[in-house]
Amino acid sequence: MNIFAAWLLGFMLCLHNTAGFADQLVWQSGFEKGFPGGEWLDLDNGSYSTAGTMPAGRTSAWAIVNRRSGEPVFSGDHAYKGWITGPSDLSHRAYPVIHADVPTPLINTFMVYLDADYARMSSTEWIHFGTWGNHDPDTKTGNWALHTMAVRDRKLEFAHVSPFHGEYIGPGSQADFPLRRWVRFTVYMLYQGTAGLVQVWQDGVPVLRAKVSSLRNNPGTRLRTAHWGMYGSGTLDQGIQYNDDILICSLSKPLTD
């Protein structure tokens, strides 16, 4: 059984909570319960907009949109929307956060819809999709942003891993990340003390793999913090990102290939 087939079997068992298996769905959000809604950390850096308009003095924000608005919603009635309207002195940070305590290995799946103008982005500017780490918010140990995933120079990439931007393992040459349509990410993570592995599938196709190298100095086995959504270079002056159907499933044992 290859690694994707093994994930698919384990994840379906997780979703259906089949008796006799340790795999289980441990956290999810489709933004149907609002914010924080018992799902998200009750922390707002000023970027959350209940009205869906840009807060005064900011150039990036996030909101929960309704399907009735005509904006992209993958399932249910609501989705996350993060957007940028101009440059910032600091990185744009417009997203909710979770503090968790989830043992790895795990699978994180989520839907992303990116609307951006690649022609207006330099080769060094990036738009983030996900951040994961073993930072413990209680003891203040571990890295806050252990590893991340973003689009830069039109391509999907990791950061803060080994190799630093990840290894492309997809078919043929790496294509530009698609715009203005829903994309499903499936992220497999394994933290093993001082070593770890992360791999991502894009719409069911394996595309990136890397070692979680920063565990050498910040060992751990559990996911303690994560966030998804609009985080980007301060020089960015445009871009919209929608997220929906974010799920984390803990696995009983590592996948093998």
Side-chain angles (χ1 to χ4, degrees):
M1 181 181 294
N2 64 32
I3 193 168
F4 183 70
W7 164 79
L8 185 60
L9 175 61
F11 190 60
M12 291 305 294
L13 291 171
C14 162
L15 288 179
H16 292 288
N17 195 25
T18 304
F21 292 87
D23 308 282
Q24 59 179 331
L25 181 65
V26 295
W27 183 88
Q28 64 180 319
S29 178
F31 300 93
E32 303 297 333
K33 298 181 180 179
F35 172 75
E39 297 170 343
W40 300 94
L41 182 66
D42 190 5
L43 176 67
D44 177 18
N45 64 359
S47 63
Y48 177 56
S49 170
T50 55
T53 57
M54 184 64 67
R58 295 191 59 90
T59 55
S60 59
W62 74 276
I64 297 174
V65 297
N66 192 295
R67 182 180 294 277
R68 293 192 301 271
S69 70
E71 296 188 81
V73 173
F74 181 74
S75 70
D77 292 322
H78 299 89
Y80 159 97
K81 175 187 178 181
W83 73 102
I84 295 171
T85 59
S88 171
D89 293 336
L90 302 173
S91 297
H92 295 285
R93 292 180 176 270
Y95 51 77
V97 177
I98 65 167
H99 285 172
D101 188 9
V102 183
T104 70
L106 62 79
I107 292 286
N108 173 205
T109 70
F110 57 106
M111 303 299 301
V112 169
Y113 182 112
L114 180 62
D115 186 354
D117 185 351
Y118 284 153
R120 289 171 59 182
M121 294 177 64
S122 73
S123 61
T124 59
E125 290 178 326
W126 46 270
I127 295 176
H128 156 280
F129 293 134
T131 291
W132 307 269
N134 70 340
H135 172 84
D136 186 328
D138 297 323
T139 64
K140 305 297 189 294
T141 58
N143 272 351
W144 185 265
L146 188 62
H147 55 101
T148 65
M149 186 172 70
V151 62
R152 182 181 63 86
D153 201 16
R154 304 175 184 246
K155 302 294 192 291
L156 185 69
E157 66 172 22
F158 287 142
H160 310 291
V161 292
S162 180
F164 187 86
H165 296 296
E167 173 193 4
Y168 177 67
I169 57 173
S173 58
Q174 187 173 7
D176 292 352
F177 184 78
L179 296 174
R180 303 175 192 93
R181 73 167 179 84
W182 284 107
V183 173
R184 180 182 296 279
F185 284 126
T186 304
V187 184
Y188 170 72
M189 283 179 282
L190 174 63
Y191 299 165
Q192 293 179 300
T194 58
L197 171 72
V198 59
Q199 181 166 314
V200 63
W201 289 256
Q202 181 179 308
D203 291 331
V205 177
V207 288
L208 291 175
R209 178 190 297 144
K211 295 178 181 178
V212 185
S213 52
S214 53
L215 284 168
R216 290 193 213 104
N217 299 321
N218 298 277
T221 61
R222 308 173 78 87
L223 178 72
R224 298 303 309 268
T225 187
H227 62 84
W228 306 262
M230 187 56 89
Y231 168 32
S233 308
T235 52
L236 278 171
D237 61 2
Q238 53 81 37
I240 305 173
Q241 181 179 163
Y242 299 90
N243 287 351
D244 208 349
D245 283 6
I246 308 173
L247 300 92
I248 298 176
C249 179
S250 180
L251 304 178
S252 58
K253 59 184 178 181
L255 302 182
T256 59
D257 187 9

